[in-house]
Amino acid sequence: MAPRTTRPVGTPTRGTTNPNRLRRMDRWIAAVHGAALRGSPEPPLAVDLGYGAAPWTAVELLARLRTADPRTRLYGIEIEPARVEAARPYEHEGLSFLHGGFEVPVPGRVALIRAANVLRQYDEEQVAAVWERLCGRLAPDGLLVEGTCDEIGRRHVWVALGPEGPRTVTFATRLGSLDRPSDLAERLPKALIHRNVPGEPVHAFLRDFDRAWAAAAPYASLGARQRWIRSVRDLAADWPLTDGPRRWRQGEVTVRWGALAPRG
């Protein structure tokens, strides 16, 4: 059992949530982390950290993870006791709700922690310590996914971390909602959102993405998906992308963390 503190670590969020708000993040997790879940000798344990005022995202995450491994169990963790009590009627086999915070008060090591829209209210200087604490709760092949999305799940940006620290940054969008790729800047996670300024790598990446998008304008007649794919192919010439056309078709692109990490 993880050590318990006198009170949960962290501060309450606004709790805003909507059904299917995190579907893009969930589907990415199931696709890229599914093999690790299936390879676990024990039933994989996942955590939806800071699920909000209603438990929809926890219920949905478990259902999507079980498409990768039907043995998966999930804890929804909230720092507000009233939110935990409100979620109790949704508990069922493999799904439980607990009062807690960044200490992640669940038994053993965790295969997955998803923390969506949790660090938005924190200072940038606090992010590294939170990441380190959460990564310390992961199993050796575990994954932490931390990021931000809009209210109805059209635009997401998240960082994927392993026990060793940050690995990648994923940009994901409903392509019909996008005027240009840099529209996603408003959903950068806390570690990057204040770094979208000249001289920082994430600013250069979004600038180059917009240029590739403009150059791919002739593909717009074939649809936003084809324009996105063409743009990402051009982007791959200068940036270390980690995915391919199968994910690009979903309106995603994933970049190595080291290429976008803040300077200094």
Side-chain angles (χ1 to χ4, degrees):
M1 175 73 71
R4 290 304 305 266
T5 55
T6 305
R7 58 195 296 270
V9 179
T11 56
T13 65
R14 290 182 302 164
T16 306
T17 188
N18 282 302
N20 272 326
R21 185 182 187 189
L22 302 179
R23 61 193 178 278
R24 299 179 195 282
M25 187 183 287
D26 291 355
R27 291 169 183 166
W28 182 88
I29 292 169
V32 306
H33 198 52
L37 297 176
R38 291 188 294 273
S40 172
E42 301 295 328
L45 178 61
V47 167
D48 186 11
L49 182 62
Y51 57 84
W56 320 132
T57 61
V59 174
E60 292 164 354
L61 177 59
L62 179 59
R64 288 165 183 149
L65 292 178
R66 283 186 164 176
T67 66
D69 190 328
R71 304 173 300 158
T72 304
R73 298 173 295 133
L74 187 138
Y75 285 97
I77 296 179
E78 249 299 333
I79 202 166
E80 283 280 14
R83 295 175 185 171
V84 178
E85 290 307 310
R88 296 284 187 206
Y90 295 87
E91 292 187 331
H92 58 76
E93 183 276 323
L95 177 63
S96 301
F97 295 93
L98 296 175
H99 180 221
F102 295 136
E103 76 281 8
V104 188
V106 302
R109 297 290 177 174
V110 183
L112 170 73
I113 300 173
R114 185 188 65 186
N117 304 303
V118 172
L119 294 184
R120 191 82 167 170
Q121 67 185 24
Y122 287 79
D123 293 333
E124 181 184 350
E125 293 74 19
Q126 297 174 281
V127 171
V130 172
W131 279 0
E132 183 177 7
R133 186 175 199 126
L134 294 178
C135 288
R137 297 291 290 114
L138 293 174
D141 58 352
L143 186 72
L144 165 64
V145 179
E146 187 274 308
T148 304
C149 71
D150 67 359
E151 288 73 15
I152 58 174
R154 294 171 303 174
R155 298 174 183 175
H156 293 243
V157 187
W158 61 79
V159 182
L161 306 93
E164 78 286 359
R167 296 174 175 172
T168 60
V169 183
T170 298
F171 298 78
T173 186
R174 184 171 71 81
L175 291 170
S177 74
L178 202 69
D179 289 327
R180 57 184 180 176
S182 62
D183 291 347
L184 287 162
E186 65 184 21
R187 297 301 163 182
L188 287 168
K190 179 59 74 169
L192 295 173
I193 194 165
H194 300 302
R195 301 302 183 123
N196 186 29
V197 294
E200 287 284 348
V202 71
H203 182 272
F205 174 79
L206 290 170
R207 177 204 63 206
D208 288 356
F209 206 168
D210 279 354
R211 288 174 177 170
W213 181 256
Y219 287 81
S221 62
L222 303 176
R225 176 175 287 111
Q226 294 304 315
R227 186 178 184 182
W228 175 269
I229 291 171
R230 178 70 254 179
S231 302
V232 174
R233 285 191 188 278
D234 289 347
L235 200 62
D238 298 307
W239 293 90
L241 308 186
T242 66
D243 52 5
R246 180 172 295 187
R247 301 312 310 171
W248 301 344
R249 288 183 59 80
Q250 306 301 315
E252 299 171 7
V253 61
T254 298
V255 193
R256 293 195 185 281
W257 166 258
L260 302 187
R263 291 186 173 168

